[in-house]
Amino acid sequence: FSIPTSGWNWGHLHNYNAVDIANACGTPIYAAAEGTVAESNDGSWNDGYGSYVVINHPNNTSTKYSHNKKNLVGVGQYILRGDLIAYIGNTGNTHGPTGCHLHLEMRGAKNPFAKK
């Protein structure tokens, strides 16, 4: 997996094996690994995730990219590592010190971007 965006990686694991990477709204988000888009939901809340994208990877893991300003991919689309998939935003539950940021969850594996 490659880091999906630039910015400050808080590195602290929280809800559902996730880290937050803070940067300005509109910063590009790239796919951390290749796979198929399983979900691409736009909206302001979505259980606190706001707009988000889920990619299922061939190694039986998935990544969820949340709080997006805008999603650029659709369900069923095959994505290569490094493809532009969305832009950092502050949709959903983004109160607190992070403001605009990417909430990146790893399912099925240890989050490689956790620092602690």
Side-chain angles (χ1 to χ4, degrees):
F1 291 93
S2 60
I3 193 83
T5 193
S6 61
W8 176 255
N9 177 4
W10 295 92
H12 296 269
L13 277 178
H14 61 282
N15 299 348
Y16 308 110
N17 197 30
V19 296
D20 288 338
I21 303 171
N23 207 332
C25 283
T27 301
I29 301 170
Y30 303 97
E34 71 176 302
T36 303
V37 176
E39 297 178 53
S40 182
N41 290 310
D42 292 313
S44 60
W45 188 249
N46 287 325
D47 292 328
Y49 288 106
S51 294
Y52 68 90
V53 171
V54 175
I55 299 176
N56 290 338
H57 306 289
N59 64 353
N60 294 320
T61 63
S62 65
T63 46
K64 186 172 191 172
Y65 310 79
S66 303
H67 306 310
N68 306 339
K69 178 178 181 177
K70 181 177 182 178
N71 296 336
L72 302 174
V73 296
V75 172
Q77 189 173 347
Y78 195 79
I79 304 297
L80 298 176
R81 185 177 74 186
D83 282 353
L84 180 62
I85 60 169
Y87 295 104
I88 287 179
N90 61 353
T91 60
N93 187 7
T94 58
H95 62 80
T98 56
C100 292
H101 69 280
L102 167 63
H103 171 91
L104 177 65
E105 291 184 10
M106 290 288 299
R107 304 245 170 122
K110 181 180 176 187
N111 192 317
F113 308 113
K115 296 179 182 178
K116 297 181 180 185

